[in-house]
């Protein structure tokens, strides 16, 4: 591999593992010698260590690519050349997205083999383009691609493509994707910032699910700083009780009685006002905060349900359960404890679980569903129609309710496809004895169509927006006694509350 690469202009050297250990050794040697005849001996031992370090840096058993330090030198050299009027270049930061799954499934030797193959594929693909390649961390590579931005983009696209092809491990196959960030010199930053900016672009791709490339954009830095700040504040908010639950009623399509109230999280931020869960739930999921938040939601929703029951409001309370929570060992135990504490029958408590999470066919998900079934809680499959569930898979779940995704309700009036899908969902759900809830009902025309299709329950701004618990009690009590004569009027809440709530 080394000979072929030298011929093609690729610069090979060693991956930098072992460097840190050696530096530590140098420091230790220095400490021992401090007491003695310092100058002479220190110099001698440092020289020895340096020689060892050089040997390590120059040859790599694994990929044969440049080490990080060698790469930094090569980058300095390229920058100087460009500054003197030489060719421009792009820096590509390549990160394998899921090497750990290979390590877990096939062992570390297989992981090493994949790294070797990945390096070889990139080398073959970029052959003859005077690319400088380096493995700068465990599963991260950096490439210097001479030429304009377009050349850099084409190289990035090509690398994403060649690494997406299956890797053979003995007689099995593994599929990987990679995230590539691109920073062009001098367009996307000076020498000190270039590698960091390519890294930022790579992280942006990874955060979006990986398997692609992105060019650096100054807004990426802002977005990441804002995200870090928001995360910091969310942690504090969890501790300081700044989270609240709003509730949105579901009503029976025929009697218009409130059947349930869905708890929806709100974050009352001291400066930014109310922040939508669509913004902070994904953040909480990515950074492991959703466990603590989810536990609080379960406890608080049960407490509220008990308070309402005392006041004569006997509807079900529904909470949204994230995929992370479903994989928690003690989810059902927590729910049961909260129900017992507040003396709520399990059948009066609904767990809304999205179709995509419910269909994850893992052992852990199945176990969680079995436990929910045994606990006797009411399970609702949320956002239905967006995943790819089969009838058979649906039958295995202990679900009692299915919520048609808002997207279909929204398109009912304009799209024949949406109508056909909604009709098919209702028929399928009824054949499985599931109740069907249509969510996001905003207009009377949508309501009429959904009733005609046979939906059992309706939920949406037409009836009421999510509101604080006290407002919901008021809304429920103020309903006229003979509801049927005043069907589907907008909620009192909607008419009387400030617009602040409207956007949520
Ligand atoms: P979801 O469970 O699908 O909740 C329905 C969302 O649609 C809510 O947004 C609700 O306010 C909004 N909505 C209801 N009716 C209408 C309507 O007629 N028109 C329109 N345009 N929107 C309507 P929200 O409250 O912003 O919540 C967004 C998502 O955040 C929820 O979607 C749910 O996935 C998640 N979420 C909220 N609370 C929690 C929670 O406690 N735990 C977890 N894991 N996720 C939560
Ligand atoms: Ca929901
Ligand atoms: Ca939903």
């Amino acid at each position: 591999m080394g000979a072929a690469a030298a011929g093609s202009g690729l610069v090979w050297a060693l991956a930098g593992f072992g460097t840190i250990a050696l530096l530590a050794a140098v420091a230790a040697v220095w400490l021992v010698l401090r007491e003695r005849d310092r100058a002479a001996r220190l110099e001698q031992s440092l020289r020895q260590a340096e020689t060892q370090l050089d040997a390590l840096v120059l040859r790599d058993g694994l990929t044969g690519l440049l080490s990080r330090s060698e790469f930094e030198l090569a980058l300095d050299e390229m920058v100087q050349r460009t500054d003197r009027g030489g060719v421009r270049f792009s820096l590509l930061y390549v990160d394998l997205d899921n090497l750990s799954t290979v390590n877990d499934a096939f062992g570390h030797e297989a992981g090493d083999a994949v790294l070797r193959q990945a390096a070889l594929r990139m080398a073959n693909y970029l052959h003859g383009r005077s690319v400088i390649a380096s493995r700068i961390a465990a599963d991260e590579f950096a490439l210097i691609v001479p030429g304009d931005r377009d050349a850099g983009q084409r190289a990035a696209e090509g690398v994403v493509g060649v690494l997406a092809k299956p890797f053979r491990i003995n007689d099995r196959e593994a599929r990987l994707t990679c995230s590539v960030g691109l920073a062009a010199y001098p367009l996307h930053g000076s020498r000190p910032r270039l590698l960091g900016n390519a890294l930022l672009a790579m992280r942006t791709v990874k955060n979006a699910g990986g398997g692609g490339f992105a060019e650096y954009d100054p807004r990426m830095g802002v977005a990441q700083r804002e995200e870090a700040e928001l995360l910091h504040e969310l942690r504090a908010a969890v501790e300081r009780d700044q989270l609240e639950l709003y509730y949105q009623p579901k009503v029976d399509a025929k009697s218009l009685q409130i059947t349930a109230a869905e708890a929806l999280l709100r974050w009352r931020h001291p400066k930014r006002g109310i922040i939508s869960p669509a913004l902070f739930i994904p953040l909480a999921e990515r950074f492991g905060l959703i466990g603590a938040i989810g536990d609080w939601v379960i406890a608080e929703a049960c407490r509220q349900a008990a308070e309402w029951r005392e006041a004569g409001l006997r509807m079900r309370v529904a909470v949204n359960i994230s995929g992370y929570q479903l994989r928690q060992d003690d989810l059902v135990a927590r729910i049961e404890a909260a129900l017992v504490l507040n003396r709520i029958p399990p059948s009066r408590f609904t767990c809304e679980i999205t179709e995509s999470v419910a269909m994850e066919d893992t052992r852990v998900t199945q176990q969680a569903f079995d436990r929910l079934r045994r606990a006797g809680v009411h399970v609702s499959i949320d956002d239905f129609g967006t995943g790819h569930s089969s009838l058979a898979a649906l039958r295995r779940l202990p679900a009692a309710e299915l919520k048609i995704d808002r997207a279909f309700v929204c398109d009912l009036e304009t799209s024949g496809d949406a109508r056909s899908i909604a009709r098919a969902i209702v028929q399928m759900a009824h054949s499985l004895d599931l109740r069907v809830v249509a969510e996001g009902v905003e207009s009377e025309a949508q309501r009429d169509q959904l009733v005609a299709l046979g939906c059992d329950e309706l939920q949406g701004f037409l009836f009421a927006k999510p509101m604080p618990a006290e407002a919901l009690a008021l809304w429920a009590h103020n309903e006229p006694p003979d509801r049927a004569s005043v069907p589907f009027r907008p909620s009192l809440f909607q008419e009387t509350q400030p617009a602040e709530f409207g956007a949520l």
Side-chain angles (χ1 to χ4, degrees):
M1 193 159 118
S8 71
L10 280 168
V11 184
W12 301 104
L14 162 77
F17 59 76
T19 309
I20 292 174
L22 265 163
L23 286 174
V26 172
V29 167
W30 183 80
L31 277 173
V32 172
L33 294 181
R34 197 169 50 174
E35 310 302 319
R36 303 192 198 158
D37 172 16
R38 280 196 190 164
R41 286 187 182 239
L42 183 61
E43 207 188 313
Q44 192 193 355
S45 57
L46 274 176
R47 221 177 294 128
Q48 267 176 5
E50 250 168 29
T51 321
Q52 277 178 303
L53 209 61
D54 280 350
L56 258 179
V57 165
L58 291 175
R59 235 150 287 129
D60 172 26
L62 192 59
T63 65
L65 302 182
L66 284 184
S67 69
R68 181 170 190 134
S69 55
E70 289 285 315
F71 182 77
E72 299 264 3
L73 291 176
L75 185 57
D76 287 342
E77 174 71 27
M78 279 302 288
V79 164
Q80 282 164 19
R81 271 198 230 168
T82 309
D83 290 350
R84 287 197 301 265
V87 66
R88 295 167 180 231
F89 67 91
S90 294
L91 179 60
L92 267 50
Y93 204 115
V94 182
D95 184 293
L96 299 183
D97 291 326
N98 34 9
L99 188 71
S100 59
T101 55
V102 173
N103 284 332
D104 292 348
F106 303 100
H108 282 265
E109 276 179 20
D112 286 352
V114 166
L115 281 169
R116 265 195 302 273
Q117 283 186 44
L120 194 60
R121 280 188 197 176
M122 286 192 278
N124 286 339
Y125 173 71
L126 298 165
H127 182 79
R129 294 187 218 175
S130 301
V131 166
I132 297 171
S134 153
R135 177 171 165 243
I136 57 175
D139 56 353
E140 294 171 15
F141 302 88
L143 308 168
I144 296 174
V145 182
D148 58 13
R149 238 165 118 187
D150 287 352
Q153 288 185 350
R154 280 196 302 278
E157 202 175 355
V159 165
V160 171
V162 295
L163 295 186
K165 301 213 171 84
F167 288 88
R168 289 213 69 76
I169 300 168
N170 302 327
D171 54 348
R172 294 168 72 183
E173 260 188 11
R175 281 183 184 274
L176 294 185
T177 57
C178 69
S179 301
V180 182
L182 184 161
Y185 186 79
L187 182 70
H188 291 141
S190 58
R191 165 66 184 92
R193 307 202 74 110
L194 203 60
L195 198 58
N197 287 350
L199 177 68
L200 203 58
M202 181 279 282
R203 292 228 173 101
T204 308
V205 177
K206 199 175 272 296
N207 287 342
F213 78 94
E215 214 179 51
Y216 170 74
D217 181 313
R219 281 169 298 187
M220 288 172 174
V222 177
Q224 204 162 68
R225 268 196 304 281
E226 277 181 358
E227 193 180 86
E229 197 181 318
L230 205 63
L231 181 68
H232 178 72
E233 291 175 339
L234 182 57
R235 285 216 165 89
V238 174
E239 283 160 20
R240 290 182 203 147
D241 264 359
Q242 285 171 357
L243 297 181
E244 287 173 31
L245 288 180
Y246 272 31
Y247 294 88
Q248 187 183 32
K250 302 180 190 175
V251 299
D252 185 279
K254 294 198 188 81
S255 71
L256 306 183
Q257 297 283 341
I258 299 182
T259 55
E262 176 180 1
L264 292 159
L265 261 169
R266 296 292 178 264
W267 172 9
R268 195 177 289 277
H269 190 282
K271 291 200 198 94
R272 302 186 199 207
I274 290 186
I275 300 182
S276 154
L279 201 81
F280 70 87
I281 295 270
L283 198 68
E285 280 175 341
R286 258 195 294 133
F287 292 94
L289 270 175
I290 194 70
I293 294 179
D295 291 345
W296 178 81
V297 169
I298 292 167
E300 173 58 18
C302 288
R303 190 203 59 74
Q304 186 58 59
E307 196 178 304
W308 279 332
R309 284 172 87 76
E310 291 221 334
L313 272 175
R314 303 201 148 241
M315 67 233 168
R316 251 192 199 109
V317 65
V319 302
N320 291 285
I321 302 285
S322 74
Y324 177 92
Q325 284 176 281
L326 207 62
R327 292 188 292 274
Q328 273 179 326
D329 270 352
D330 59 350
L331 171 73
V332 179
R334 270 175 194 283
I335 293 175
E336 285 180 313
L339 293 174
V340 169
L341 181 71
N342 294 287
R343 293 198 285 169
I344 297 166
S347 63
R348 308 305 293 161
F349 183 82
T350 303
C351 291
E352 295 198 3
I353 298 166
T354 62
E355 180 191 14
S356 52
V357 167
M359 290 303 147
E360 278 170 12
D361 194 19
T362 63
R363 199 175 43 84
V364 188
T365 317
Q366 283 311 312
Q367 273 176 359
F369 273 114
D370 285 345
R371 287 191 198 137
L372 286 170
R373 189 198 309 268
R374 270 181 266 132
V377 299
H378 190 253
V379 172
S380 171
I381 307 297
D382 206 350
D383 300 346
F384 193 84
T386 51
H388 303 279
S389 3
S390 65
L391 203 63
L394 208 56
R395 188 174 285 139
R396 281 203 303 271
L397 299 177
E401 175 183 297
L402 199 150
K403 294 181 84 171
I404 301 182
D405 191 68
R406 185 149 65 83
F408 300 115
V409 174
C410 186
D411 293 348
L412 268 184
E413 290 161 83
T414 52
S415 154
D417 281 352
R419 272 197 299 279
S420 310
I421 293 172
R423 181 175 299 112
I425 291 177
V426 175
Q427 282 171 359
M428 182 190 68
H430 283 167
S431 74
L432 292 173
D433 267 345
L434 301 175
R435 276 177 82 78
V436 183
V437 181
E439 64 176 352
V441 185
E442 291 183 356
S443 73
E444 298 185 353
Q446 288 168 350
R447 172 203 67 200
D448 292 344
Q449 296 211 22
L450 290 161
V451 172
L453 288 176
C455 284
D456 304 289
E457 291 177 35
L458 306 169
Q459 188 183 19
F461 292 174
L462 178 67
F463 311 104
K465 291 190 171 175
M467 57 183 110
E470 316 81 71
L472 186 101
L474 217 68
W475 186 81
H477 285 307
N478 285 349
E479 285 285 347
D482 99 5
R483 283 166 184 258
S485 66
V486 193
F488 304 110
R489 69 195 178 89
S491 79
L492 289 176
F493 176 75
Q494 198 177 353
E495 287 159 6
T496 53
Q497 291 299 309
E500 179 199 5
F501 301 119
L504 295 166

